Amino acid sequence: MQSDWIEHRRADDGEHVGWMKPVDDGFVAIDLLGRPRTETVDWLSAEETLDELGLRYLADPHELLLDDGGWLRVRIAEVTPSAVRVKKEDWGDMTAPQIYFTVSLPITEDQLRPLSPSQET
C-alpha cells in the first residue's frame, strides 16, 4: 500500500475490499493483493469494481512461485496492508504439516497466481 492510496470499504457491510489509487484526474482500483483492477477511471467506477470484486478471489486456490522456480499450490490465509500470508494446500487434512509463506505487497502474478480451472483437477 502506498501513502496516497485511499482505503475502500463496501457500503453494505464496511468490509475492506481494496484501495483507490489517485492517478491524474481519476483513480485506479487496487485489490487487496495490491494489483490494479482497472485503468484510470472515475471514482464511482473504481468503487463499483472493488465492490463487485469483493473478497471471493481470496478463497480461490493459487500457486506460489518458490525460490527454486517451482510452483506450489496454496490458499490465502491472511491479508494485511503490507503482506499476504499463504498456506500450502492440504485439502483439509488435519494431520498435514501447516506450512506458511509470507509475500510482501504488491504481489504480481509472477509471484502468486490464481490456479486455472484446468489445473484444479
Side-chain angles (χ1 to χ4, degrees), residues 9-23:
R9 294 182 174 272
R10 285 188 299 223
D12 60 340
D13 63 4
E15 186 69 43
H16 178 213
V17 293
W19 295 274
M20 315 283 270
K21 176 183 176 182
V23 177

Side-chain angles (χ1 to χ4, degrees), residues 5 8 15 21 24 39 59 67 73 83 85 101 103 117 119:
W5 291 7
H8 176 67
E15 186 69 43
K21 176 183 176 182
D24 299 325
E39 299 294 325
D67 291 339
R73 184 179 171 132
R85 192 168 180 226
F101 301 87
V103 186
Q119 294 171 300

Side-chain angles (χ1 to χ4, degrees), residues 44-96:
L44 183 59
S45 296
E47 277 189 320
E48 288 172 346
T49 298
L50 291 173
D51 287 348
E52 183 179 313
L53 180 62
L55 302 175
R56 67 183 174 274
Y57 64 97
L58 298 176
D60 294 337
H62 287 74
E63 288 184 309
L64 175 68
L65 180 62
L66 301 174
D67 291 339
D68 68 4
W71 289 92
L72 177 68
R73 184 179 171 132
V74 298
R75 293 284 180 166
I76 295 174
E78 179 182 15
V79 178
T80 71
S82 61
V84 172
R85 192 168 180 226
V86 297
K87 177 180 173 271
K88 179 182 177 188
E89 176 68 82
D90 60 16
W91 289 272
D93 181 354
M94 298 302 289
T95 63

